Structure formats: C-alpha cells, structure tokens
Amino acid sequence: FWVGSNGYLGFTNGQISAPFNSIPNVSGAQNFLAAMACDLLFDVSNAAECWRYVNPTNDTLIVSWINVPFYDAVTPAGAGNNTFQIILSAVDSSITYQYQVQSGVPAAGTNVVIGIENNSGSIGLQHSMNVFPPVNYAIKYYYPSNTTYVVNDASTSYNDNTETGGLFRSRNGSPFTMKTSVKNTGNQNLASYNVFSRVLNAGGGTVVSDNKMTIASTPGQTENITMTNTFNPTIAGTFRYVTNTQLPGDATPSNDQKVQEIVVLDTTVTAIRLSYDNGVEAGLGGLNWTGGSGGAAIYFVPPFYPAKVTDLYTYIVANPMSFGYSMVVYDDNGSGGAAGTKIDSIYVTAGSIFTSSWNNIVLPTPITVNSGGLYVAWKMNGDGLTLGQNQVPPFSNRTFEILGSTWATYRYRETEDLMINIGIEKIPVSGAGINEGALANYFGDFYPNPSSDLATINYDIPFNVKNIFYQLYDIQGRIVKLSSSDLSRNNGKLSINVAALDAGIYSCKISVDGQTLTKKLVITK
C-alpha cells in the first residue's frame, strides 16, 4: 500500500490531490481509503509526522497522521493542525478512521472528502464531502456478514518494474524481455486466463507479441509472467510495451492494461539526449506551484554503464516575474531507490532563462553513473515560473512533484510527462580485465532461437574495442563455423548463416579483445 501525505491510503500507486472529488468517481486514482483527503503539508519547517504500526499477531495495521497542518501558500510551514489515523483489522475485516485533533481549514477552502472507493471508481461509500470531522470522533466500516456481490476481475499490476517506469535502450543492444505481473483483483477464484503482451512502434504497428495463460488464482493472488518472444531494438524511436489481461466477463476493464514507454537510442553518437517527451509543449501554461517554492523531477536510468552526464535541459514556458530556478541532481540511494544523496546543484539566473524554449545547462563537472540511475529536479525560486508539460503518449511514469522538501508521485504522471531532459556520453574505457559476467551486459541473445537460416545477436559495448570474432561449436566440441574477419565496431550485430548446419544444440564463443563470452544457439530443420 501507499501512504498519501494528503490523508489517505492507496492500494495502487496514484496520487490524490486538490481538487478532492466526491466518492465514488471513475476519474483520477481509485482503490483507496480516504480518512481525511485534503490539502495537507509535510515539511521540515513543521512538526508533521506519519507513523505505521503492525501488531505482533500481524492482523492489525495502524497508520497515523500526527500534527499535520494544511498547505498554505502564504505560510511555508502550513496552517491549522490535524491528528487522525486509519486502522485495518483482519480480525473482523473492518476499516476504522479515528480523529483526535482537527483545527483550521485549508487556505483554498473547505475541500475534503472522507470515504472508501473500489478499484474501478464505480463503487464507494462516502461518509462526507467538504465537511471536516469533529474531534474525538470515529468512523467504522464493517464487512457484511453475508454478501452476494460477485466480482470476477483480473488486472495487470505492472510491466517490467513496479512503476511500469519508462526505459532507455541502445539500438542494436540486448533484447528486451517482456515481463509483467498480473493479479486476481476480484473476490472469486479464477480459472486460467490469457495474458497478451506486445511492443508497438510509434505508428501503432506491432513489432513483437506473445500470449501466455495464467495459473488458476485465488482473490488477491499475483503471478509474474515472462513471455517467450523478445523485443529486439534494431530501430531508434519511441515504443510502447502493452499488456492486457483477457479474462472473460471481467468486471473492471479499466485495470486490464498497462503501458510502458521504451525509448530506443542510437548510442553510437557522442552526445546522447535522454528524453521521455517528444518536444511538444502542451500549451496549458506550464507547471508551477503557487508561492514559488515547489518543483518537479524525473528519474533517469541510462541505457549503458558507465555513463557520463554532461548536460541538463529544461523547457521553460513563462517567467513573468523574472525569477531564477535551481537544477538539483540526486543519487537514487535513498530508501527503496528514492532520491537520496545530493550530487550537484546549479542555480540558473533569471537573465539567462529563455521562455517558450529549452534551456541547456552544461555541468561544470560531469557526473559518472556506474549503476542504477539519478533524479534530476527543477526547483522554482519564485512565483510564476512554469515548466513545460508534454501530453503526447506514451508516458514515462518517472515524474515527481516537489512541495517544499516533500516529494510525491506526480499527480498527472499517467497523462503527461514533464519536460526535463539530460545529456549523456559514453566513457571510453579499456576492455582489459572485463570478465564474461560483464560482457554479458553488452550482448543480447541469438534471435530467432531456434534458428534454421540466419541467427543474429545484437551488441553494444561502452568502450572502444580492437576486434570481435566468434567460433561456433557443435555438441561434440568441434568448430563448425568461425568469423572470416575481425569486427572492430563496438556497436552493431553479429549474424551467422546456419542453413548448412545439422539440427542440434551449438555453443558460440564470442571473443572481445581476448575476453570471451559463450551463448547457446539451437538449430532446427
């Protein structure tokens, strides 16, 4: 589950923020418990706390919001005070909200909702709307002793990673494995059903697709699925990895599909720009926060290691009051991969900002990324400064919003990307000392495999090499084919004509400047 700073628990990773709508509502986030969903503020300048407790028998969860004020654009620390909690009990399957302190109202007005909503947004129980609860008050939802309500529902939880976060891949690099997680989100046992995955190009054409049947499942059960077919990134461009559950009579079609953005880049060029947007600003006036103390960020994972970050880019829509802004880079070594150590911070003066345009910041000291990724944050230093928004799908699901010192999932991440990019370069290193385990990161697998004609393997090596050659061995260890000449490119593909070879299992030993890697190849007739 996810704890929302705005007074709710979510069971999918979506944000609930102002304006707070009535319950139920099919728009926005679903599948949540709203104890006091309103514009609250956690910041280092106030005393707000949030705690969770699980009892020793593991049948009760308590999440408490303590001394949390309302967001106030005029008062940085917030105004008012609220202390309340949510209690989930497996003993009687109940949900309880308790309120100890409630004073003040948000500066923007009394906009608050209390209730529960299901995973489709079509069913919910609203306790109250735009009325704050009294102190020393409790609300308890009981599960009915008998129910005839039947829900047959399967959903796609995520593609590839738990955020269905976008990826950058190297053209002619290793194949992309289509992995997904599905869940029985109904209240009935489900028989096996089909899961359909495919990768689509920018025009909507299918590049690769596959199907797999699930196992039978009980309510709440998840299953991780790996498709057999893989996506070979031979063409640069933006692709969509789409997965659908295909349960007959599915109750909630809106949760059947997940879409992941995959950006394939030509990494043979010197300067490489990582961008999830297509460069088209939405024309909505840009993103900003009233009071001028907010910001936004994007998480970037480079398509190769080591990578050298050389440039930061932001698209600024407007700056009517001539304020500057800061660009801050964070390591992803925080809790659970969140933004952690600050790596660099650069202030951009008002006089150097171009509006309705990209602004390029060259890092005085480039940042080397050897693993994982980094967060790049844009932080306002005054009111009215606006960041570009891109609403052309697919979307990265890598965006965050920043209010004061508090980070949260960007509230519109499923319908837009924010226009922050970075520039990277490869770091020329010697191949000496690279072992087989490291080489495996730079080579894909043979495709098609099994093969009866031409078998191909893509590779993308992030350092200069002198030669690459291969030797193909049969099951008796005899060399049956070898490269006729050395290959000196560090990015491309290696193709082997196997039409004249007998059916069987073969081993291909690939040598890179004296270091070797072995790949299996099956030949059929």
Side-chain angles (χ1 to χ4, degrees):
F1 64 91
W2 285 260
V3 178
S5 61
N6 283 337
Y8 65 91
L9 292 186
F11 299 98
T12 55
N13 189 12
Q15 189 188 156
I16 302 174
S17 53
F20 299 91
N21 298 317
S22 60
I23 295 173
N25 198 308
V26 295
S27 64
Q30 288 98 36
N31 203 12
F32 62 84
L33 309 177
M36 198 168 84
C38 59
D39 216 354
L40 300 173
L41 177 65
F42 283 81
D43 193 82
V44 293
S45 61
N46 62 40
E49 299 178 7
C50 187
W51 293 84
R52 68 170 181 171
Y53 167 78
V54 178
N55 70 342
T57 55
N58 205 37
D59 60 19
T60 301
L61 167 71
I62 303 174
V63 179
S64 300
W65 289 255
I66 301 173
N67 297 324
V68 186
F70 297 108
Y71 171 76
D72 191 315
V74 178
T75 307
N81 191 26
N82 302 278
T83 296
F84 57 94
Q85 63 186 187
I86 296 176
I87 304 172
L88 304 183
S89 173
V91 177
D92 60 356
S93 298
S94 65
I95 302 166
T96 303
Y97 302 158
Q98 295 195 139
Y99 306 90
Q100 185 182 62
V101 176
Q102 200 291 300
S103 65
V105 295
T110 307
N111 181 207
V112 58
V113 64
I114 298 172
I116 61 177
E117 184 173 292
N118 78 337
N119 63 4
S120 67
S122 59
I123 299 173
L125 293 173
Q126 179 174 287
H127 170 272
S128 54
M129 178 75 185
N130 294 338
V131 177
F132 283 98
V135 298
N136 299 321
Y137 185 75
I139 302 165
K140 189 166 186 176
Y141 294 88
Y142 294 93
Y143 193 83
S145 56
N146 295 293
T147 178
T148 58
Y149 184 58
V150 174
V151 180
N152 291 295
D153 189 57
S155 65
T156 303
S157 300
Y158 59 83
N159 283 344
D160 185 71
N161 58 79
T162 56
E163 302 295 312
T164 312
L167 300 174
F168 296 103
R169 308 287 289 195
S170 295
R171 180 172 62 86
N172 293 324
S174 59
F176 171 75
T177 301
M178 295 189 292
K179 296 180 292 184
T180 190
S181 180
V182 298
K183 184 176 183 179
N184 179 342
T185 40
N187 62 6
Q188 303 293 306
N189 293 337
L190 296 179
S192 177
Y193 57 88
N194 188 57
V195 177
F196 176 43
S197 291
R198 64 273 192 204
V199 173
L200 309 177
N201 60 25
T206 301
V207 181
V208 63
S209 64
D210 208 347
N211 294 270
K212 188 159 285 190
M213 297 296 291
T214 68
I215 60 174
S217 59
T218 58
Q221 184 175 344
T222 61
E223 181 181 355
N224 296 326
I225 294 174
T226 300
M227 297 295 175
T228 302
N229 295 337
T230 58
F231 166 54
N232 291 290
T234 57
I235 299 174
T238 298
F239 297 81
R240 288 174 289 159
Y241 167 33
V242 185
T243 297
N244 283 76
T245 53
Q246 297 181 327
L247 175 70
D250 187 89
T252 314
S254 61
N255 65 15
D256 292 351
Q257 184 180 95
K258 286 292 182 182
V259 180
Q260 181 182 25
E261 181 174 8
I262 302 175
V263 181
V264 179
L265 302 164
D266 180 0
T267 55
T268 63
V269 298
T270 301
I272 303 161
R273 186 159 169 170
L274 303 189
S275 172
Y276 285 117
D277 62 80
N278 71 342
V280 178
E281 209 283 319
L284 304 175
L287 172 75
N288 74 345
W289 306 105
T290 302
S293 62
I298 295 184
Y299 180 56
F300 293 94
V301 178
F304 53 78
Y305 302 108
K308 179 171 66 175
V309 182
T310 59
D311 298 79
L312 309 178
Y313 300 89
T314 51
Y315 189 99
I316 301 300
V317 178
N319 189 18
M321 302 177 71
S322 297
F323 285 109
Y325 64 88
S326 297
M327 296 299 296
V328 188
V329 182
Y330 298 89
D331 197 350
D332 63 354
N333 59 357
S335 176
T341 304
K342 182 167 70 174
I343 301 173
D344 202 352
S345 179
I346 298 175
Y347 181 71
V348 182
T349 62
S352 62
I353 296 173
F354 296 94
T355 58
S356 298
S357 176
W358 284 101
N359 291 260
N360 179 21
I361 302 167
V362 179
L363 292 176
T365 304
I367 299 168
T368 299
V369 182
N370 291 306
S371 63
L374 46 77
Y375 293 82
V376 178
W378 165 81
K379 294 189 175 182
M380 303 168 62
N381 281 277
D383 218 351
L385 191 66
T386 57
L387 178 69
Q389 300 160 286
N390 176 253
Q391 294 190 332
V392 179
F395 304 111
S396 69
N397 293 313
R398 298 289 198 184
T399 48
F400 298 85
E401 60 184 59
I402 305 169
L403 290 173
S405 61
T406 302
W407 288 50
T409 298
Y410 181 48
R411 64 192 66 188
Y412 303 122
R413 67 155 45 177
E414 293 186 349
T415 57
E416 68 180 47
D417 269 314
L418 299 173
M419 298 179 74
I420 300 172
N421 298 175
I422 65 173
I424 65 171
E425 295 178 2
K426 287 184 176 179
I427 299 177
V429 296
S430 169
I434 299 296
N435 57 32
E436 181 169 334
L439 280 181
N441 296 324
Y442 312 138
F443 282 81
D445 294 314
F446 278 109
Y447 65 92
N449 193 2
S451 178
S452 60
D453 187 7
L454 194 67
T456 300
I457 188 169
N458 297 327
Y459 63 91
D460 184 21
I461 305 171
F463 50 81
N464 296 324
V465 298
K466 295 179 181 178
N467 57 71
I468 303 172
F469 67 94
Y470 71 86
Q471 294 173 313
L472 190 65
Y473 295 81
D474 64 15
I475 199 167
Q476 282 80 36
R478 297 172 299 191
I479 297 177
V480 296
K481 210 169 186 65
L482 70 163
S483 57
S484 56
S485 61
D486 290 347
L487 304 170
S488 59
R489 292 182 57 196
N490 65 342
N491 179 288
K493 61 179 65 177
L494 184 157
S495 296
I496 305 175
N497 190 333
V498 299
L501 298 178
D502 294 332
I505 299 174
Y506 292 76
S507 295
C508 184
K509 181 180 288 186
I510 303 169
S511 296
V512 179
D513 290 350
Q515 306 300 318
T516 61
L517 168 74
T518 302
K519 290 286 186 178
K520 186 175 77 172
L521 175 62
V522 178
I523 298 176
T524 59
K525 295 298 179 181

